[in-house]
Amino acid sequence: MTDHPRLAVAGLTKRFGAIQALAGVDLHVGRDELVVVLGATGAGKTTLLRTIAGLETPDAGSVAFDGAEATSWNPAARDVALMFQDFALYPDWTVRRNLEFPLRAPARRLPESEITQRIAWVAELLAIGHLLDKPSTRLSGGQMQRVALGRALVRRPRLFLLDEPLTNLDAKLRERLRLEIAALRRELHTPMLYVTHDQGEALAMADRIVVLIAGRVAQVGSAEDIYDRPASPEVARLLGHPPINLIAATASDGFWRAGDGTPLAPATATVGSRATIGIRPEHLAPNGGPRPAQIRVVQHHGAYQVATVAWAGGESHVLLPPEAALPIGTELHPSVVQDRALIWPG
Amino acid sequence: MTTAAAPGGGGRSGSGGWGAAAVVAPALILLIAFNVFPLFYNLILSFTSAELGVEGWTWVGTRNYQRVFERPEYSAALRTTALFVFLAVVCELALGFVLALALHRRFAGKTALLTALLIPMMLPPAVMGLYANLLYDGDYGLLNQIISGFGVAPPQWRTDPAWKLTAVLIVDVWMWTPFMLLISLAALGSVPRHLYEAAEVDRASAWMVFRRITIPLCAPLLALAALLRTTDALKQFDIVMAITGPNDQATQTVSALLYQGLFADGKVGRGSAYACVVLVLVIALATVCTRYLDWLARRQGRGA
């Protein structure tokens, strides 16, 4: 075994007219790894997958598989399975024929029994057994998505590239398939590059998360790394529910203070320097702070409640215990849990 | 939209009804004068002894129809037409589709080339036929000069019975292949690009992609084009007239025979009977074709 990663992408750059889709992306996927690329819509996630699959030619940068330079290889030679975001099912064909198509490619020459077995396996996995003989154009969005996922999973490729594979499914099925897919790559010993805008999927499944913002890798790390130590306010905003509180602050009297003077965190910086302070809602205790904050909205989430309060010159989210019955207008005194404020100078 | 919203619709007032009638009348009168009346007049004539230049006619019952079914030239013309239509449509479709596959990409001068290819389609068939005569000329024609250049004895296109129908066919193919090319280009353009991409990633061979994706997705539009060409080729007359004249056994299509019988021989009664028989055949064929198109449309609709 060599120690080359299954996939290594370096300096990948792609521009479509005025749009810079990828701006120097570096990325690698190990032999048994599930890497999730997390990014908002338009961050370049799909372009990244298409370039790795060989459907787009990069303007600059390289793609290598197992250490072999592959930037100029055609898609078939790369032997990756790509699940398309828009499904790209073959119309007029039954689900079964759609699933069989990649297995009947001449490069593979699989015996008929193996094909039957794999179709049965993937149909069971994705709960589409009852759809096998339906034409693909008569399926619902969620069913099409499962068939498209199935068409990728029946293969035994070098690498799975999955583009938002679970977005159209109902919550229960999505939950189950997250676990199944994560388990699958261990079973098949095939790495996956999984693209999503859903932080829940990223946190639940990823060995490593690659955060993509505007065509650039903003941060790479484990779920904990990225949640606890986000590299920038933009990364911090992508993860966490309810979203992180971001407050512009200035250093004075040994504290980072919000615009209205509310102290947020101890500051060692010179007086007058500026920073963005990030405080996760769970790190903002409802009481014990110096300044009052009126509750404006309360949302019940079962295990906890989220209160939106007027605090530090803006609105912030505070977590409350589920049994707290606080009417709108109640005054809290939020305080930041010690050492849990994130500080990005600048 | 509701019918009540249409001006003069619903017939709520007498003037509205008359208004509507006034709008429809010109088209209706023309339709009756040039379609309905001739159809019935033709039907009546087919049971008479009417001849051009002969005063008066008498009822002859089904004698004209008996003649049509007995005389060999009538069934021969049907066979000639069927053969011609089949060969013309198949050649044009195949050639047009293959050309479209070759041209289905961006390249410099594509528009100019397509325009040039379309010129024959825009010329009147009679002109094309006369033009072709120059090319087909046994001694001086460009075509035979080229063929002799290869050291092969060139055929006598316009006089050798074995080649006459081919000569007509070539002109028809020359004219209508560009039509099939255009439709084929549209069909190829309508195949979603992501299907080709999916197939590429799935490692399908070029042949698999062509047979399983390109052909099935182009088929409905190509079928429609073939139907249009079939109905048009059934009426083949102009090119035959220009190259061999209407009374040549080798190229006598149904239209040519009708022309010959009615206007040259003056046999109005028998010609009308033949026209009725052909009409019934065409209606039968058209019914089958429209059923097929309906079926295609339903299949597509179900898909959408």
Side-chain angles (χ1 to χ4, degrees), chain A residues 185-258:
Chain A
R185 69 107 199 314
R186 288 205 185 81
E187 229 173 89
L188 301 176
H189 296 292
T190 307
M192 285 184 185
L193 188 59
Y194 186 112
V195 155
T196 184
H197 69 274
D198 181 332
Q199 48 162 319
E201 282 172 24
L203 292 172
M205 300 171 69
D207 296 325
R208 237 156 16 96
I209 297 176
V210 174
V211 180
L212 202 62
I213 293 176
R216 278 172 217 282
V217 174
Q219 192 172 0
V220 181
S222 67
E224 297 79 39
D225 283 342
I226 292 180
Y227 188 83
D228 292 341
R229 291 174 291 281
S232 67
E234 289 75 29
V235 176
R237 209 179 281 138
L238 274 179
L239 281 179
H241 183 87
I244 192 167
N245 301 308
L246 292 172
I247 303 159
T250 315
S252 74
D253 306 337
F255 278 99
W256 290 108
R257 290 180 187 277

Side-chain angles (χ1 to χ4, degrees), chain A residues 62-95:
Chain A
S62 67
V63 176
F65 293 108
D66 298 309
E69 158 65 30
T71 316
S72 60
W73 292 6
N74 67 32
R78 296 181 187 218
D79 194 17
V80 297
L82 169 63
M83 181 206 158
F84 287 79
Q85 193 179 5
D86 49 6
F87 314 146
L89 296 182
Y90 305 112
D92 275 351
W93 293 10
T94 61
V95 169

